[in-house]
Amino acid sequence: LLSYLLGLGWFLALPLPPLAPRTYMSENAMGSTMVEETFGMGERALSYAREFAGHKKKAGGMPVAWLERTMWSLGLEVHRQPFTLTLPFPDETRERYMVKGTNVYGILRAPRASSTEALVLSVPCSPGTQNNQALGLMLALAAHFRGQIYWAKDIIFLVNEHDLLGMEAWLEAYHDINLTEVQSSGALGRAGAIQAAISLELSSDVVTSLDVGVEGLNGQLPNLDLLNLFHAFCQKNGLLCTIQGKLPRPEGDSLPAYAHSLQTLLLMVLAQASGRPRGDHGLFLRYRIEAITLRGINSFRQYKYDLTTLGKTLEGMFRKLNNLLERLHQSYFFYLLPSLSRFVSIGLYMPAFGFLILVLILKISFRGRGAPSNSTHSMIPTHPPAHPLDLQTPLGPPLTPISLQEPRPGLLALVPPLVVCHAAGLALYFLPVLGQHVATQHFPVSEAEAVVLTLIAIYVAGMALPHNAHRALSGGGSDRGWMVLKLVALLYLALQLGCLALLNFSLGFILAATMVPAPQPCRVLLGVLLVLGTPAVTLLLTIFLQRELEEAPAGLGEGWQLFLGALGEGLLQHHLYGSILYPFLALGAHPCWLLLWNVLCWK
């Protein structure tokens, strides 16, 4: 109990200044913002944006021909990349199944180098009027950069269609690999090895703030120096910058300042745990390319900034990135951000997870020595259901006497529960997508609804599986067999959470906090806690928590719809981009939870 409370307390203390020092620039080549930004083409950017909007409306989509002509007129080396992709099931939120699109990009060759390194400025071509101003600003920056002679790296100006799908198609073709089922054609022009990338999203002529997105696929984060560079130039040009949509932390060590920092930190933890990229930059990170997404926000605030100010900020960032002699590596890759001016390093947030995992380690050590347990530190009872004649002891719960003639279960006794639990996990992973057509033939549902409903049905059915199959073996239903299975379940859970926390701390911490609860002496209450600690319920609760932190509370009906959408989106993220969240939950966390349920239902 003490270890569990220490873990939660340590996490809640992370936003405090002793654990969250101020950020600082570690890369010498970017240690100063002393560059003179000369960008002054804000009106030209607005002209490009209006022209682009007109051609996009006329073409009913991305105006590929107009983009090529415009980039050629700016002196860029222009290429196009058509791509196609068939989704595993229809994406009803965006109304697409067979996706066809074209990426257009222009390369500004470096006059002072031999095309060995490159930087990327990307803009997604979104439907409607979204991102028109971002594309106009990108073209104006390309025209301005074309007249400078100090570039030592190629600069790629990329316009990708269908957001993440187009970005994934372009990155796979650029690096000549095929991680997904995207099919692309056309001669692909290449620049140097990409060192850094910035994705721009802007849908208004003026902005009140710039919000930065850092979370990438599977919770990857860019080098902290790239965030520090963005923050430094925003301060230099007087731009208001935010993260997770939250304003900078109030000065001082007051309670409101702590609450604000904790709120921002929790939003980042939830975003990272989801494994979803918070922008097109998220797919660059898997290729060891440091990248962020910048979003222009136009709210009710009084102070507004035009495209000239935004252009100067981007120009300064690209000029500093142009000075890099090697990839960004001096600063942190594992961190949490309570604000843009403060960070929590991996050495300071890992103890919070360590205290939670220590609960399982202590239980494993007690079980390994065969010592009786006086309290329950995990989501399963410390002893099988007691018989009324069991001997009562003054030091703890009743101990079930074990006869010396009781048969010793071997490893064979573990086979039935392990097979049943992992078979349920395999069914959860494969059947929703493979059985969608069968479900649509027999029930009045669409393919996407069939996938989600099948997923839920298999998940719930796992609790009703024959979890007493071990009793068919000699000695399999004994108390000693129960203890062996519990030891295996605890080891399995500890190893899973430990490995996961190294890859995605936020997801590992959330699962540890829910699957390793405080002691409960009542077996019925323990069963209720076990059900509430299942990964599906954890996902539902985190959805409500995120909406509360965003100050947009969701009702039960809306929360349930968001939950169903998150299930379908998680499946799509795995099949389209290789997200590990769904396979981990289906093949790892869910079978492990079923083992704990098996132990609870031993007799």
Side-chain angles (χ1 to χ4, degrees):
L1 177 61
L2 179 62
S3 180
Y4 184 81
L5 294 178
L6 278 175
L8 295 183
W10 190 288
F11 179 81
L12 294 176
L14 291 179
L16 297 176
L19 295 179
R22 290 192 176 274
T23 56
Y24 57 90
M25 193 75 72
S26 301
E27 183 63 52
N28 292 330
M30 301 194 307
S32 171
T33 58
M34 294 179 61
V35 294
E36 182 181 357
E37 300 91 354
T38 60
F39 179 80
M41 298 184 177
E43 292 299 325
R44 186 173 179 180
L46 290 176
S47 176
Y48 279 132
R50 288 190 290 266
E51 193 175 351
F52 172 74
H55 283 84
K56 183 167 70 170
K57 184 177 181 180
K58 182 179 179 180
M62 183 168 167
V64 176
W66 179 85
L67 280 172
E68 288 181 324
R69 290 197 308 269
T70 305
M71 288 184 175
W72 273 116
S73 67
L74 297 177
L76 303 181
E77 179 186 315
V78 184
H79 304 272
R80 71 161 66 182
Q81 181 211 3
F83 64 90
T84 58
L85 175 66
T86 302
L87 306 187
F89 58 91
D91 182 4
E92 292 190 342
T93 59
R94 297 179 178 86
E95 297 181 352
R96 59 189 185 186
Y97 180 57
M98 180 70 177
V99 179
K100 295 182 179 181
T102 304
N103 297 323
V104 178
Y105 62 101
I107 303 175
L108 174 61
R109 298 293 179 181
R112 301 174 62 90
S114 56
S115 296
T116 57
E117 295 177 342
L119 305 173
V120 173
L121 176 60
S122 71
V123 171
C125 180
S126 304
T129 60
Q130 294 181 349
N131 272 3
N132 292 343
Q133 287 80 0
L135 188 130
L137 181 57
M138 185 191 74
L139 293 177
L141 283 170
H144 177 70
F145 289 177
R146 183 68 178 85
Q148 312 303 319
I149 63 171
Y150 44 67
W151 299 113
K153 293 177 172 60
D154 295 343
I155 301 179
I156 302 174
F157 299 92
L158 169 65
V159 183
N160 56 295
E161 196 173 7
H162 298 297
D163 301 327
L164 288 172
L165 292 179
M167 184 60 71
E168 179 65 25
W170 187 82
L171 285 169
E172 289 189 6
Y174 190 88
H175 293 91
D176 197 20
I177 59 175
N178 189 11
L179 300 175
T180 62
E181 301 298 325
V182 178
Q183 302 294 328
S184 60
S185 59
L188 193 67
R190 287 178 174 80
I194 302 175
Q195 305 293 301
I198 295 177
S199 179
L200 183 61
E201 298 180 9
L202 180 63
S203 301
S204 61
D205 296 347
V206 293
V207 299
T208 53
S209 63
L210 268 182
D211 188 71
V212 58
V214 297
E215 296 85 7
L217 185 67
N218 298 324
Q220 284 184 278
L221 299 174
N223 190 274
L224 187 57
D225 270 345
L226 191 57
L227 269 295
N228 296 335
L229 181 68
F230 162 73
H231 188 218
F233 274 99
C234 283
Q235 289 183 319
K236 177 183 179 181
N237 294 314
L239 271 171
L240 179 62
C241 52
T242 62
I243 185 169
Q244 309 298 335
K246 296 298 180 182
L247 293 172
R249 168 194 170 111
E251 293 298 330
D253 298 330
S254 61
L255 183 60
Y258 166 77
H260 185 276
S261 297
L262 179 62
Q263 191 176 17
T264 307
L265 182 72
L266 286 173
L267 282 172
M268 180 175 181
V269 167
L270 294 177
Q272 187 183 23
S274 70
R276 296 174 54 186
R278 289 198 67 232
D280 288 352
H281 78 282
L283 299 180
F284 282 92
L285 298 176
R286 74 158 71 176
Y287 297 92
R288 186 61 178 86
I289 300 171
E290 310 310 319
I292 56 175
T293 292
L294 304 182
R295 295 184 180 89
I297 307 297
N298 187 13
S299 64
F300 57 86
R301 298 187 184 97
Q302 180 179 0
Y303 299 102
K304 298 185 183 293
Y305 310 94
D306 58 10
L307 297 189
T308 300
T309 306
L310 296 181
K312 287 184 177 181
T313 302
L314 290 170
E315 179 190 4
M317 293 180 65
F318 271 84
R319 288 192 62 177
K320 277 299 178 181
L321 293 171
N322 182 61
N323 294 337
L324 287 177
L325 300 178
E326 52 189 344
R327 291 182 182 271
L328 289 172
H329 68 284
Q330 298 280 359
S331 193
Y332 294 91
F333 289 95
F334 300 94
Y335 52 85
L336 297 176
L337 295 173
S339 69
L340 274 175
S341 60
R342 294 186 178 274
F343 76 104
V344 183
S345 67
I346 183 174
L348 293 175
Y349 66 64
M350 264 303 183
F353 175 81
F355 281 118
L356 294 184
I357 207 71
L358 179 61
V359 176
L360 296 177
I361 296 175
L362 290 175
K363 295 299 296 182
I364 291 171
S365 64
F366 294 157
R367 289 300 158 195
R369 297 201 309 265
S373 176
N374 293 330
S375 61
T376 302
H377 291 273
S378 65
M379 297 194 69
I380 50 180
T382 57
H383 55 88
H387 191 274
L389 299 180
D390 286 344
L391 179 64
Q392 300 289 332
T393 66
L395 298 178
L399 302 177
T400 304
I402 301 176
S403 172
L404 295 178
Q405 286 76 26
E406 185 180 355
R408 281 185 169 274
L411 294 179
L412 190 61
L414 303 179
V415 173
L418 287 174
V419 169
V420 169
C421 294
H422 285 85
L426 289 172
L428 187 66
Y429 180 75
F430 288 107
L431 290 186
V433 175
L434 295 179
Q436 58 178 306
H437 301 296
V438 177
T440 54
Q441 291 175 0
H442 294 82
F443 300 96
V445 293
S446 65
E447 288 86 348
E449 293 173 335
V451 169
V452 174
L453 294 178
T454 304
L455 190 154
I456 294 176
I458 296 174
Y459 196 94
V460 175
M463 299 174 60
L465 289 173
H467 291 295
N468 59 351
H470 54 274
R471 300 181 64 83
L473 299 175
S474 176
S478 65
D479 295 337
R480 189 176 287 110
W482 169 86
M483 186 176 293
V484 173
L485 182 61
K486 177 178 179 179
L487 179 62
V488 171
L490 291 174
L491 280 170
Y492 194 24
L493 180 60
L495 287 174
Q496 280 195 47
L497 295 178
C499 294
L500 180 62
L502 297 177
L503 300 174
N504 189 333
F505 164 79
S506 299
L507 180 59
F509 181 83
I510 291 175
L511 290 179
T514 54
M515 299 185 75
V516 187
Q520 291 294 339
C522 177
R523 181 169 177 263
V524 176
L525 183 58
L526 206 57
V528 173
L529 279 179
L530 184 58
V531 173
L532 293 178
T534 178
V537 177
T538 301
L539 172 61
L540 181 62
L541 295 178
T542 54
I543 289 175
F544 285 107
L545 176 60
Q546 184 177 24
R547 292 299 297 268
E548 287 290 339
L549 294 173
E550 292 174 347
E551 300 177 0
L556 292 178
E558 183 183 1
W560 178 252
Q561 292 299 322
L562 291 173
F563 172 73
L564 297 179
L567 294 179
E569 189 70 18
L571 265 171
L572 276 178
Q573 293 280 338
H574 169 58
H575 287 280
L576 297 181
Y577 314 119
S579 172
I580 65 171
L581 177 61
Y582 181 72
F584 172 80
L585 294 179
L587 301 177
H590 183 56
C592 184
W593 183 88
L594 288 179
L595 279 179
L596 301 180
W597 185 260
N598 197 320
V599 175
L600 183 69
C601 305
W602 183 257
K603 291 191 175 181

